[in-house]
Amino acid sequence: MKTTKQQRTKMSPPKFLAIGFLSITLFGTFLLKLPISTESGMPTPLIDAFFTAVSAISVTGLTVVDTGTHWSMFGEIVMLMLVQLGGLGFMTSATWIALMLNRRISLRERMILQEAMGQYQIQGIVDLIRRVLVYAFTIEGIGALLLTLRFWAEMPLTDAAYLGIFQSVSIFNNAGFDLFGGIHGPFTGFATYGTDPILNIINMALIFLGGIGFIVMFDVIEYPKCRKLSLHSKVVLTVTSLLIVIGALMLFILEFNNPATLGPLSYPQKIMASFFQSVTSRSGGVSTIDIGGLQQSSQFFMIMLMFIGAAPGSTGGGIKVTTFAVLIGAVITMIQGKRDVVLFRNRISQAVVYRAVTLTILSLLLLVGFSMFLSATESSDFLAILFETVSAFGTVGLSMGLTTELSEIGKIAIALVMFLGRLGPLTLAYALNRRRYKDLYRHPEGKIIIG
């Protein structure tokens, strides 16, 4: 009979990551279920505690209870720890603890880190983790300091510091949780600060840095020395910039005269709000306008942005901007009648194109399935259901107001979508697949009509 150690040794990296995330989620649920975690001292219903734990570990930010008024400081700290673990990855955090204790990182652990960080090679993975931690804590620290100084103008320094730290960690990790419910009223979020340029700029910077990924950060920081960016960084920065500008332009045009969103704002405020919603739609989860008050065209456009998501190796979700770039490249290649997908004068391998197509189709099937299921269990508009489902899958956290009205089965379904979205459909597929076979032969080529 196999021992637990032997079973763990033979466990594939994707399966290990899936079980690891699930274990932390269950532990977080247990802590949030305790009476000490709530402001009232009454235990939170199990489903709500589980939903919140999943939302935190998947860095989504969807909530069924108001964070600022329902949870005590203990509960908020538990959520913040889950957000940090979910954003950096529990293996990254475990590696940091091991390095602090001067423990050697085994080959198997390096393989799991390689899978968790989405890297093609295992070489230098431990050094990469060191830099990830340094950069993450540095950015969060700077963000916390700037936010503390901003909030100090309207509250005592200790309260401003606590709020600044919480919001910096939450926003950089693209989680979207906020504590403003205890200040301006339940579920008010950042709406009160929609016209505050300082807070908007800080938040957009944190969301952007958390969403481009650590690999891109390293490349940009090293650029003055080597004068060269990797193909990955070029694609991420280009596609991200285009999506932000196009998203802001579309929202500016569609919502310009909408009295529920941009209508009452001045011209500069409309521009700022449009850019903020465009940036946050790809995984940020915080909003300065009423998402439910948007035009349906704007809501559907945001669904597309949420589906694309952030960059690989980042704190964001979605199918990722690189996947989107490869798909667009494949479409252009087919239209032009060429053979290879080329991005920035680099040929993309067929295996990467297959992976991009597989990931996108699996994601679409997952969204279609859960949207249909929720349409049967929830009494709400289909667009709101689709919006909520894509928001959960993309670990975005934006909501049209459906989350607080979900049935018990609906909460479980959305929680499952959040978990799958953070883990990734491909990682889950590899985790469920016991073995990966190599073809020993090739079948004869067949002809099939397309289009």
Side-chain angles (χ1 to χ4, degrees), residues 239 243 307-308 319-330 356 360:
V239 177
L243 288 174
F307 180 71
I308 295 171
I319 63 170
K320 304 296 189 293
V321 292
T322 47
T323 302
F324 179 69
V326 170
L327 292 175
I328 295 298
T360 304

Side-chain angles (χ1 to χ4, degrees), residues 261-273:
T261 54
L262 301 186
L265 303 179
S266 65
Y267 194 81
Q269 290 171 348
K270 291 178 193 287
I271 295 175
M272 182 173 66

Side-chain angles (χ1 to χ4, degrees), residues 39 115 125 158 166 198 219 223 254 271 313 321 340 398 405:
E39 199 68 53
E115 177 72 27
I125 193 69
T158 52
F166 188 96
I198 296 175
D219 272 4
Y223 181 77
L254 294 171
I271 295 175
V321 292
D340 297 321
L398 295 176
E405 300 175 1

Side-chain angles (χ1 to χ4, degrees), residues 31-171:
L31 292 178
L32 293 175
K33 184 77 174 63
L34 298 174
I36 193 176
S37 293
T38 63
E39 199 68 53
S40 64
M42 299 294 291
T44 302
L46 180 61
I47 295 296
D48 292 348
F50 175 71
F51 187 97
T52 304
V54 174
S55 185
I57 196 67
S58 64
V59 290
T60 303
L62 290 174
T63 56
V64 289
V65 294
D66 180 65
T67 307
T69 56
H70 180 82
W71 304 107
S72 64
M73 181 177 285
F74 177 82
E76 290 165 1
I77 292 174
V78 169
M79 290 176 63
L80 202 62
M81 296 301 294
L82 290 173
V83 166
Q84 190 73 84
L85 282 171
L88 297 179
F90 77 94
M91 275 305 298
T92 302
S93 304
T95 302
W96 175 59
I97 294 172
L99 293 172
M100 292 285 288
L101 297 174
N102 291 320
R103 190 176 73 80
R104 184 179 177 276
I105 309 301
S106 68
L107 176 62
R108 171 158 185 75
E109 290 167 339
R110 292 169 193 260
M111 291 172 62
I112 295 172
L113 286 169
Q114 178 190 0
E115 177 72 27
M117 297 300 293
Q119 296 297 293
Y120 285 107
Q121 58 183 17
I122 200 171
Q123 184 179 1
I125 193 69
V126 176
D127 182 57
L128 173 65
I129 298 303
R130 287 195 183 97
R131 296 172 72 182
V132 164
L133 293 167
V134 170
Y135 287 9
F137 293 146
T138 300
I139 294 170
E140 288 174 353
I142 294 172
L145 177 61
L146 294 175
L147 289 171
T148 297
L149 293 174
R150 167 61 187 84
F151 294 135
W152 194 11
E154 55 186 70
M155 62 184 70
L157 179 58
T158 52
D159 293 342
Y162 178 68
L163 184 59
I165 292 170
F166 188 96
Q167 296 307 150
S168 180
V169 174
S170 175
I171 295 170

